[in-house]
Amino acid sequence: MPDSALPPLSLDNATALFGRPAELKLSEIVRPDIVECPPELSLRDAAARMSEARVSSILVVNGGEVLGIWTERDALRVDFADPASFDRPIREAMSAPVRTVPSSLTLHELTVRFREEHLRHYLVVDEQGRRCGVVSQTDVVMNQGVEHYLKLRKLTSLLKGRLTPLSQEAALSEATRHMREGGADAVVVAYADGGYGILTERDVTRLVAAGTADLAVGELASRPLITVQADTSLYRVRAQLTERRMRHIGVLDEKGGLIDLISFSDILTGMELVYVHELQHALSERDRALNASQRNLYLAEKVIESSLEGILVTDADARIISVNPAFTRLTGYSAEEVIGRNPRVLGSGRQSRAFYTRMWESINADGHWQGEVWNRRKNGEIFPELLTINAIRDHQGRLTNYAALFSDISEVKENQQRIRDLAYYDPLTGLPNRRLLDDRLQVELAHASRHQRKVAVIFVDLDRFKRINDSLGHEVGDQLLVEVASRLRHCLRDDDTVARMGGDEFVVVMSDLDGPDGALHAASRMTAALRSPITVDGRELVVTCSIGISLYPDDGKDSSTLIKNADVAMYRAKAEGRNAFQLYQPAMNARSLEHLALEAALHHALPAGELFLHYQPVISVDDRRIVAAEALLRWRHPNLGVVSPADFIPIAEETGLIVPIGEWVLRTACTQHRIWRESGRVPIRMMVNISARQFRDEGFVDMVRCVLHETAMAPHLLTLELTESILMDDTQQAISLLEELRMLGLRVALDDFGTGYSSLGYLKRFPIDELKIDRLFVRDIDRNPRDAALAAAIISIGHSLGLRVVGEGVETASQFDMLTTHGCDLVQGYHFSLPVAAEAFPE
């Protein structure tokens, strides 16, 4: 563009060149999240609301009328020596009336009013007098486009030279009086060791919320005081204040002595001088801006050309005006074939008219839309894509273009489908797994309820199968299970379901029954079929089974009760000699008595010191180093001996004992980690399992924060492991809790991945760092192609989402080799080490 085409230099276009939004209206910067309270609210509660919302003021409102305002400055008047002062109603301490400014006021005009009226907050109202928000001096500093001014000026231009630090022994009330009388919004606290801390108005507000007594400021101040050298630019100072979310910073002289304290309000002082500097440099900066604009345009063109995502731009009437090379590669259409046409040329016909109506409603309302669609390539192939559409408007707000970015997600969809298919069926036998069984059983129960029919749940357990596994090996055992599954299927009707629950346990669901006879006949056929010898690798094996039967609605109204009662009946069949079947009877609750005994003993386990931890190493695949230790809970009862975690952890979960036990586990693991560090060991990560009940406990995050502080545990060295089912109970709440944990610096791993929901739609929303492949899929990875495919798919999905993947339950070198081949990052299991005591772990 020639110089003659540029607008003449003026104050307005100088502003445009330098980015100082002098004409920016308050309506464009004010935040609508006003914090309000009734006049009878206590100062303590009002301060708590301000601290929680991270705002510097709260409006006192009654019946829609603004009565006054209470600010962080007003918190300085609270008498910390009088506990009753915290509970004073806010109407007695508020400032009134509240000064207002119109939302049409410019930022420059607001700056002048702040300086002339010596206020720090204004209530912003619109033309109808409705409240829009509260604006403060900080908002002015954060929205003033004065980077050049700030870069040119040093801190020395703002030094006041009257810093008087308070002794660490000074009382809190003395500090607040010092701030009130000195017109300061913070005080510096000097410590006997030569260090400094700071106490701000925001800190005082937080102390009011906590009802803090009149303690010494040395106990309350934040330290160390963040400082910079006096020759630092104001631009760097503002950047540091913004990055650290602070409002004050100490100033050091060339000898390192503290000479002043600078705040946002100090930076605001003198900002009006910026126009002088801008006008002086406008001509030269205009040429630089033009050159930079041309370079940026060239760079943007190159980025679009080289992008792997398809990019399509239309005019305001949705006629294509530009596409990039990736568009041609993904769709098969050249630019010449589509320019001037509507993007519906790509339509597959899979989406309904209502779908596109909702999409355009979102674009018109929000200015953008993102989602998955099915489109058609030039060759007719239909493919899924992740599509983002943005509406582009000019400076006057007029719609000028639409820009669409899309990527082919066929591979992601295929992997997702593979995981979904594999997760519903047992990879060894091809039978439905527990999840699919539950789905089908729910359907059958609903049908039986409507038609007044019965449903049988038959629990089948092989007798002494462990002996075959131990003596002949898992491979023989697996072949035997495959044949058992086949025989069970042949004993049932086409509409019946037989599922593998895991190990040597199977569950059959028979529907549309009149009574127990049909289930009893089927059980008789199954026991007879399994008694016939099975030949595996030339060996003739005879296996029998014990079967328990429960009936809906006689023995239970829901799936879990029916399966539990069928399990109880099966154990009765085993107790009476095996190779038999039993109908459930309410008296078969011996296992429930054992459950109660364990529960009673578990109440005393923690205080009696019967719980202890073992640690299993986690190995890096790349260099075979130990990079983490997983803490595993154990229980040694004086009479029962070592109790399996599978027996007592569900009881702890049901009774709520898991909450104190889980806290003990976390604290013990972190303490052990500190012992290892202090002994000179290289720090590794500590991984701790978190139960569902513990995760949902109201004080969970606070407990974690407390343990980190008490044990001096580095947050980045702690990983919390959670299962998919925990996160799916309340997705939004789970995401919020995970975000809080991530803010503490912790890592989060998703445990037993593949056995639960395994939804990519949810997985991409969860702020997690690692996926742990369940041992169920690792166990047969070297022998079963379906397990290998599932593991490879999980690893691929994890890496595509930027997550590390851990393989659990690695017991053989061949399993390790398979995981290594598929790119697994970390592994753990008996192949490397059994879980060991803390003192043995460093060995």
Side-chain angles (χ1 to χ4, degrees):
M1 181 185 293
D3 288 349
S4 60
L6 292 173
L9 182 63
S10 68
L11 183 60
D12 289 338
N13 59 46
T15 295
L17 284 172
F18 287 94
R20 184 182 194 271
E23 299 307 313
L24 197 63
K25 301 289 193 295
L26 294 190
S27 58
E28 299 175 72
I29 70 166
V30 69
R31 293 180 298 177
D33 47 340
I34 306 175
V35 178
E36 300 179 351
C37 72
E40 299 305 321
L41 190 71
S42 69
L43 294 182
R44 182 199 309 267
D45 292 337
R49 292 191 185 183
M50 290 167 59
S51 297
E52 182 179 358
R54 300 184 65 87
V55 296
S56 57
S57 64
I58 186 168
L59 288 179
V60 183
V61 179
N62 187 27
E65 179 185 2
V66 178
L67 303 181
I69 188 171
W70 194 69
T71 68
E72 291 175 344
R73 187 70 185 172
D74 296 321
L76 300 179
R77 300 190 183 95
V78 174
D79 184 3
F80 286 87
D82 179 13
S85 63
F86 302 114
D87 297 315
R88 289 175 56 204
I90 196 169
R91 58 179 168 73
E92 297 180 9
M94 67 184 184
S95 299
V98 178
R99 298 297 299 273
T100 63
V101 291
S103 59
S104 59
L105 197 70
T106 67
L107 199 60
H108 172 60
E109 292 168 336
L110 177 65
T111 302
V112 174
R113 289 193 63 167
F114 270 129
R115 188 180 66 247
E116 292 178 351
E117 298 182 9
H118 303 291
L119 294 177
R120 296 166 66 180
H121 299 82
Y122 287 101
L123 175 62
V124 181
V125 296
D126 62 14
E127 295 176 356
Q128 288 74 40
R130 293 175 300 207
R131 301 189 291 278
C132 301
V134 175
V135 66
S136 67
Q137 289 182 346
T138 301
D139 295 320
V140 174
V141 176
M142 295 304 297
N143 288 281
Q144 287 276 20
V146 290
E147 281 71 17
H148 287 270
Y149 162 75
L150 295 174
K151 288 178 180 178
L152 290 173
R153 298 196 68 185
K154 304 293 184 182
L155 267 178
T156 49
S157 64
L158 299 183
L159 295 182
K160 303 179 288 293
R162 56 176 185 272
L163 179 66
T164 306
L166 288 179
S167 166
Q168 68 179 70
E169 304 299 330
L172 175 58
S173 57
E174 182 181 349
T176 57
R177 179 181 57 78
H178 188 83
M179 284 190 272
R180 288 197 312 271
E181 296 177 356
D185 54 3
V187 293
V188 174
V189 179
Y191 288 83
D193 59 5
Y196 294 95
I198 184 171
L199 186 74
T200 68
E201 289 178 352
R202 181 148 293 183
D203 294 328
V204 172
T205 303
R206 176 174 49 82
L207 296 174
V208 172
T212 305
D214 193 13
L215 304 175
V217 290
E219 300 177 40
L220 305 173
S222 301
R223 65 177 305 196
L225 173 66
I226 305 302
T227 59
V228 294
Q229 293 295 321
D231 60 353
T232 305
S233 71
L234 295 184
Y235 177 84
R236 181 57 187 155
V237 171
R238 189 185 73 168
Q240 285 202 38
L241 291 172
T242 304
E243 290 168 4
R244 296 174 177 268
R245 303 184 73 174
M246 303 184 308
R247 293 191 289 181
H248 303 81
I249 197 164
V251 184
L252 303 177
D253 61 19
E254 58 186 11
K255 296 181 180 179
L258 184 67
I259 56 175
D260 210 340
L261 186 70
I262 296 299
S263 68
F264 265 124
S265 59
D266 296 321
I267 297 177
L268 182 62
T269 303
M271 270 192 173
E272 295 306 299
L273 298 175
V274 67
Y275 277 119
V276 176
H277 295 284
E278 290 178 347
L279 289 173
Q280 289 175 346
H281 297 281
L283 283 173
S284 60
E285 288 299 325
R286 181 180 65 172
D287 292 336
R288 294 179 189 176
L290 177 60
N291 293 333
S293 177
Q294 292 172 338
R295 289 195 302 271
N296 289 338
L297 180 61
Y298 176 78
L299 177 61
E301 290 175 349
K302 289 301 180 182
V303 169
I304 292 174
E305 288 178 7
S306 59
S307 172
L308 297 178
E309 291 186 312
I311 300 176
L312 174 153
V313 180
T314 76
D315 60 17
D317 297 320
R319 291 187 295 265
I320 299 174
I321 60 175
S322 176
V323 297
N324 72 337
F327 172 91
T328 299
R329 176 175 55 80
L330 293 172
T331 68
Y333 288 100
S334 66
E336 294 75 14
E337 291 175 303
V338 295
I339 288 178
R341 303 177 66 180
N342 189 285
R344 68 170 63 97
V345 67
L346 303 173
S348 66
R350 283 201 179 188
Q351 275 82 30
S352 65
R353 182 182 298 274
F355 171 86
Y356 287 108
T357 298
R358 290 192 300 271
M359 182 184 79
W360 282 106
E361 286 175 351
S362 176
I363 295 172
N364 293 333
D366 305 326
H368 60 86
W369 179 87
Q370 184 180 63
E372 296 180 4
V373 299
W374 290 86
N375 272 342
R376 189 186 303 274
R377 307 188 207 272
K378 183 180 178 181
N379 62 8
E381 178 188 354
I382 294 176
F383 70 102
E385 66 180 42
L386 180 63
L387 173 65
T388 301
I389 301 176
N390 286 286
I392 300 174
R393 299 182 181 275
D394 61 17
H395 294 299
Q396 284 72 45
R398 293 188 298 266
L399 178 68
T400 59
N401 301 92
Y402 295 103
L405 288 79
F406 65 93
S407 56
D408 187 340
I409 57 173
S410 299
E411 185 176 349
V412 172
K413 284 288 187 182
E414 290 169 4
N415 286 336
Q416 187 175 8
Q417 186 62 44
R418 287 164 61 195
I419 290 178
R420 186 180 295 111
D421 291 344
L422 291 172
Y424 272 106
Y425 291 89
D426 173 50
L428 175 64
T429 63
L431 295 177
N433 62 10
R434 184 188 300 265
R435 182 180 181 188
L436 184 54
L437 168 72
D438 189 62
D439 289 346
R440 291 187 179 177
L441 183 52
Q442 296 287 359
V443 171
E444 296 298 348
L445 293 180
H447 181 271
S449 176
R450 288 194 300 270
H451 298 282
Q452 302 298 308
R453 304 291 286 171
K454 294 184 182 295
V455 175
V457 174
I458 305 174
F459 203 111
V460 181
D461 185 88
L462 302 185
D463 298 326
R464 299 187 176 90
F465 176 75
K466 186 176 184 299
R467 181 183 302 173
I468 295 175
N469 250 357
D470 293 343
S471 59
L472 300 180
H474 287 290
E475 187 171 343
V476 171
D478 288 348
Q479 294 181 54
L480 177 64
L481 290 173
V482 171
E483 178 59 25
V484 167
S486 176
R487 293 189 181 188
L488 292 177
R489 274 195 298 257
H490 284 93
C491 294
L492 302 170
R493 303 170 301 180
D494 291 340
D495 292 340
D496 298 333
T497 295
V498 56
R500 184 185 176 204
M501 298 291 281
D504 60 345
E505 295 179 338
F506 301 84
V507 169
V508 174
V509 175
M510 299 183 68
S511 58
D512 201 26
L513 300 177
D514 294 319
D517 290 347
L520 291 171
H521 290 152
S524 178
R525 290 193 300 270
M526 286 187 282
T527 55
L530 294 185
R531 276 197 295 267
S532 299
I534 298 174
T535 301
V536 179
D537 288 346
R539 294 185 179 87
E540 191 173 83
L541 304 175
V542 176
V543 61
T544 61
C545 65
S546 299
I547 297 176
I549 305 169
S550 64
L551 290 175
Y552 169 88
D554 310 62
D555 304 323
K557 298 294 197 306
D558 58 80
S559 58
S560 60
T561 301
L562 289 166
I563 292 174
K564 177 178 71 70
N565 289 339
D567 185 38
V568 169
M570 181 272 295
Y571 273 98
R572 172 55 63 91
K574 280 190 180 295
E576 294 191 356
R578 298 184 174 86
N579 191 25
F581 51 88
Q582 287 279 341
L583 281 169
Y584 172 76
Q585 298 175 8
M588 296 177 177
N589 278 318
R591 295 189 70 199
S592 297
L593 296 176
E594 178 186 346
H595 181 99
L596 292 174
L598 271 181
E599 180 181 336
L602 188 58
H603 275 84
H604 303 288
L606 185 59
E610 297 169 4
L611 301 179
F612 60 98
L613 296 183
H614 274 179
Y615 301 87
Q616 186 174 44
V618 178
I619 311 299
S620 169
V621 172
D622 289 338
D623 53 17
R624 311 301 195 269
R625 290 187 305 105
I626 297 177
V627 296
E630 181 175 3
L632 299 171
L633 180 61
R634 298 292 185 261
W635 178 20
R636 182 181 291 106
H637 188 272
N639 299 323
L640 302 176
V642 176
V643 182
S644 169
D647 291 332
F648 73 82
I649 288 181
I651 297 175
E653 186 88 20
E654 292 171 12
T655 60
L657 288 172
I658 197 66
V659 174
I661 290 176
E663 180 177 349
W664 178 87
V665 170
L666 181 62
R667 180 173 279 102
T668 302
C670 291
T671 300
Q672 183 58 54
H673 193 276
R674 181 176 64 187
I675 294 172
W676 285 336
R677 295 197 313 270
E678 291 174 350
S679 65
R681 301 290 177 180
V682 176
I684 60 175
R685 283 193 297 130
M686 179 65 74
M687 307 182 75
V688 179
N689 291 280
I690 301 300
S691 75
R693 184 73 171 267
Q694 189 179 6
F695 185 72
R696 292 192 295 267
D697 185 69
E698 184 176 350
F700 174 68
V701 175
D702 290 336
M703 181 274 290
V704 173
R705 184 183 293 109
C706 181
V707 169
L708 289 174
H709 175 73
E710 292 177 1
T711 61
M713 181 70 178
H716 71 279
L717 293 177
L718 178 60
T719 298
L720 302 184
E721 299 186 21
L722 304 98
T723 63
E724 292 175 82
S725 59
I726 294 177
L727 303 181
M728 294 300 297
D729 285 344
D730 185 344
T731 302
Q732 196 55 50
Q733 177 67 13
I735 291 175
S736 298
L737 288 175
L738 290 177
E739 291 288 1
E740 290 189 58
L741 293 174
R742 290 288 294 275
M743 288 180 66
L744 293 179
L746 309 180
R747 298 183 183 182
V748 178
L750 195 57
D751 202 6
D752 300 338
F753 185 73
T755 61
Y757 293 87
S758 303
S759 167
L760 291 179
Y762 285 108
L763 183 60
K764 67 182 181 181
R765 295 174 57 195
F766 292 132
I768 58 177
D769 305 283
E770 295 179 0
L771 291 182
K772 300 194 75 174
I773 306 174
D774 187 75
R775 64 184 69 248
L776 172 67
F777 305 118
V778 174
R779 189 186 68 184
D780 300 323
I781 191 173
D782 53 341
R783 298 192 300 272
N784 189 301
R786 291 171 67 90
D787 276 355
L790 180 59
I794 293 174
I795 293 170
S796 175
I797 290 297
H799 287 169
S800 69
L801 294 173
L803 307 176
R804 287 183 303 182
V805 182
V806 185
E808 292 187 297
V810 179
E811 298 183 356
T812 66
S814 58
Q815 292 170 350
F816 174 64
D817 292 339
M818 287 292 289
L819 289 172
T820 301
T821 300
H822 291 307
C824 192
D825 303 293
L826 307 170
V827 289
Q828 68 181 104
Y830 288 1
H831 177 62
F832 304 100
S833 172
L834 275 68
V836 297
E839 51 272 15
F841 188 85
E843 302 286 334

